Amino acid sequence: MKNVVVSTRIRLARNLSDYPFPIRMNEKVKSELADKVCDAAKTIMPFDRIDMSNITKTQAVSLVEQHLISPEFISNSEGRVLLLSKDKTISIMINEEDHIRLQVIMPSLCLEEAYKVADELDTKLSEKLKFAYSDKLGFLTQCPTNLGTGMRASVMLHLPALKKSRAVDRIGSNLTKLGLTIRGLYGESSESIGAMYQLSNQVSLGISEQSAIENLKNITTQLVTQELKARDRILSDISVVDTICRSLGILKTARRIDHAEAMNLLSNVRLGVANKLFDSLSLDSIDELMCDIQPACILQRFSAELSPSERDMKRADYLREKLN
């Protein structure tokens, strides 16, 4: 399963009943709410508090690249606060579209385990904060599409064979009928890079969390089966195997490489690792590289103002160091 499923994410949207939605709050009220949520959360477990107005744009974008926050969360830093667990598996965005966006990320396919962690934290927070809830509509959210459970469950999938066979678009249209959606690397409105896709539930009203998770898990299992069968077909072609091996050679020797090319080459190498073409590499190491070589992450790592060309050279240096 890990060959295809990179990670699992559970996200819960919650709002406090005694405050208006963030879109109707001024900076003072947002700050007051943020302090209230932070105080409650820190009595449950230790978190690092990050006030978004106090960090640089590069730092903010790197958090998006690591999937710790949403792209929307950095569009306006006013009154927005991030709580991050020490191991970075749990993050709480405060004053995004909703007052609270609680997120749990775990490796591979572990929907039940991730939901258990999120649910336990949600329960403890609800004992300290009064959430907006309706017996008819469930948890109240700013966007009607999140009403009900307020939950979005998703898995990050590596689908190089289905992408190569152009089956992903066809699958995507069918998934909508099942209450699911498949998107790019950074979620809504983003494109797939390195054959990475996010599969998530679309329906949160009139369905329980357990039913949504079970549906997502079943469809994920079917997609994994289709991907593995497609891999068997394409890997019987020596030209595909040659491309995979050449990709590793380029990554080990390149002196300058942009993000898109690096992701596509790493995608090829990940496919090779999954099919035991490279004994010295692991899936975890390739997944880590895919995160580390993103634009803002590179700037963060080298703590320097770099031109795009200089950044591409630093990326190539980093890849050579890690792969040789």
Side-chain angles (χ1 to χ4, degrees):
M1 193 68 73
K2 188 175 181 180
N3 288 354
V4 178
V5 185
V6 178
S7 62
T8 296
R9 183 189 71 171
I10 297 291
R11 190 210 72 197
L12 302 177
R14 299 289 186 261
N15 289 280
L16 275 59
S17 60
D18 45 351
Y19 287 86
F21 289 130
I23 197 171
R24 300 190 63 186
M25 293 164 63
N26 59 35
E27 187 172 1
K28 181 180 178 181
V29 178
K30 286 182 180 180
S31 178
E32 176 187 310
L33 181 139
D35 288 340
K36 188 172 185 177
V37 174
C38 289
D39 290 344
K42 288 184 177 182
T43 64
I44 300 169
M45 62 180 292
F47 284 101
D48 290 327
R49 173 172 173 159
I50 302 171
D51 289 78
M52 299 306 292
S53 59
N54 293 339
I55 65 174
T56 66
K57 182 179 179 180
T58 297
Q59 289 172 322
V61 175
S62 73
L63 292 170
V64 174
E65 292 176 347
Q66 296 171 69
H67 300 285
L68 298 174
I69 60 176
S70 65
E72 199 282 330
F73 194 58
I74 67 172
S75 64
N76 178 8
S77 63
E78 181 183 283
R80 291 182 169 177
V81 174
L82 171 67
L83 294 179
L84 193 60
S85 66
K86 302 299 181 183
D87 62 1
K88 296 185 177 181
T89 59
I90 302 172
S91 60
I92 300 176
M93 291 177 283
I94 303 173
N95 292 326
E96 195 226 35
E97 183 177 78
D98 295 293
H99 296 152
I100 295 172
R101 288 287 178 92
L102 190 164
Q103 175 180 284
V104 176
I105 293 183
M106 291 184 174
S108 193
L109 181 62
C110 51
L111 285 160
E112 291 90 350
E113 295 90 334
Y115 174 70
K116 182 180 179 182
V117 173
D119 184 49
E120 288 178 353
L121 181 54
D122 177 48
T123 298
K124 290 177 181 178
L125 282 173
S126 70
E127 293 169 355
K128 302 176 182 298
L129 304 167
K130 187 178 179 182
F131 291 151
Y133 185 84
S134 161
D135 291 335
K136 182 178 180 181
L137 298 174
F139 289 101
L140 302 181
T141 55
Q142 183 167 297
C143 180
T145 59
N146 290 318
L147 285 170
T149 63
M151 184 188 78
R152 284 289 180 270
S154 64
V155 289
M156 184 72 74
L157 302 169
H158 183 223
L159 304 175
L162 290 178
K163 182 177 182 179
K164 183 177 177 62
S165 63
R166 299 182 180 178
V168 175
D169 291 339
R170 172 181 54 79
I171 291 170
S173 61
N174 292 331
L175 287 173
T176 303
K177 303 170 188 175
L178 301 172
L180 300 172
T181 184
I182 192 164
R183 293 166 170 155
L185 183 61
Y186 303 112
E188 190 172 358
S189 301
S190 67
E191 296 182 359
S192 169
I193 305 173
M196 291 291 182
Y197 295 89
Q198 281 191 42
L199 176 68
S200 60
N201 68 300
Q202 273 190 311
V203 179
S204 60
L205 183 62
I207 184 173
S208 69
E209 292 92 339
Q210 290 74 18
S211 295
I213 286 172
E214 190 63 28
N215 185 39
L216 177 59
K217 187 175 181 180
N218 289 337
I219 299 303
T220 297
T221 302
Q222 292 177 40
L223 274 177
V224 168
T225 299
Q226 291 182 48
E227 170 66 20
L228 293 178
K229 286 181 179 179
R231 290 184 184 188
D232 286 341
R233 289 194 297 271
I234 67 171
L235 288 168
S236 64
D237 184 345
I238 188 61
S239 67
V240 173
V241 176
D242 183 61
T243 297
I244 291 171
C245 295
R246 286 175 182 270
S247 295
L248 181 58
I250 294 171
L251 290 168
K252 283 185 170 184
T253 58
R255 263 45 185 180
R256 188 171 68 183
I257 188 166
D258 66 30
H259 176 234
E261 182 184 8
M263 286 293 289
N264 288 329
L265 294 173
L266 284 169
S267 174
N268 291 339
V269 172
R270 193 182 196 279
L271 177 57
V273 172
N275 287 274
K276 305 187 186 311
L277 295 180
F278 310 119
D279 295 333
S280 61
L281 298 172
S282 68
L283 289 172
D284 287 341
S285 66
I286 300 303
D287 292 342
E288 187 176 340
L289 279 176
M290 283 184 154
C291 180
D292 290 349
I293 57 104
Q294 295 176 91
C297 286
I298 286 291
L299 293 177
Q300 276 285 96
R301 179 169 297 278
F302 293 100
S303 301
E305 289 293 327
L306 303 173
S307 68
S309 180
E310 290 170 331
R311 184 179 59 203
D312 292 348
M313 287 189 284
K314 288 291 187 183
R315 180 181 292 109
D317 291 344
Y318 184 72
L319 286 164
R320 289 201 315 276
E321 175 190 341
K322 290 296 182 179
L323 292 171
N324 283 299

